[in-house]
Amino acid sequence: GTDVIFKMNVNNFANQTINNISWSLNTGEFEINSTLNITLRSLENIFIFVEYNYSATGNYTAIAITKSGFLIDNETINITIV
């Protein structure tokens, strides 16, 4: 397999604290979910690193999602494992 490390940057640009932020990462092979929720104060940010071992070569679409209540954001990237 091939190890890949994903880096997610979660920012709070709001003028208030955001509680109970969860995240998930769909690697194209498997979905990984947070086990602990995050709280970010106004203008605070956090980096999340996720390691995943791809079992096969090929092209994959990875989707990272962060959410808190009705707030949701996502980012999609295409990766090639050789």
Side-chain angles (χ1 to χ4, degrees):
T2 301
D3 282 329
V4 175
I5 297 175
F6 294 91
K7 176 184 170 187
M8 296 181 270
N9 185 11
V10 182
N11 298 291
N12 178 2
F13 294 116
N15 289 326
Q16 63 186 23
T17 297
I18 300 176
N19 297 302
N20 297 317
I21 301 169
S22 63
W23 61 264
S24 64
L25 174 67
N26 185 322
T27 67
E29 279 190 336
F30 189 76
E31 184 163 322
I32 303 165
N33 295 294
S34 59
T35 56
L36 296 172
N37 289 345
I38 303 163
T39 295
L40 291 178
R41 294 182 310 238
S42 178
L43 304 178
E44 192 174 37
N45 69 322
I46 190 169
F47 292 105
I48 300 167
F49 294 90
V50 180
E51 181 180 11
Y52 180 73
N53 186 287
Y54 280 89
S55 62
T57 60
N59 297 314
Y60 296 91
T61 300
I63 304 168
I65 299 172
T66 56
K67 56 185 166 183
S68 174
F70 293 109
L71 300 173
I72 188 166
D73 191 21
N74 65 66
E75 191 74 30
T76 301
I77 61 168
N78 295 311
I79 59 173
T80 301
I81 304 298
V82 291

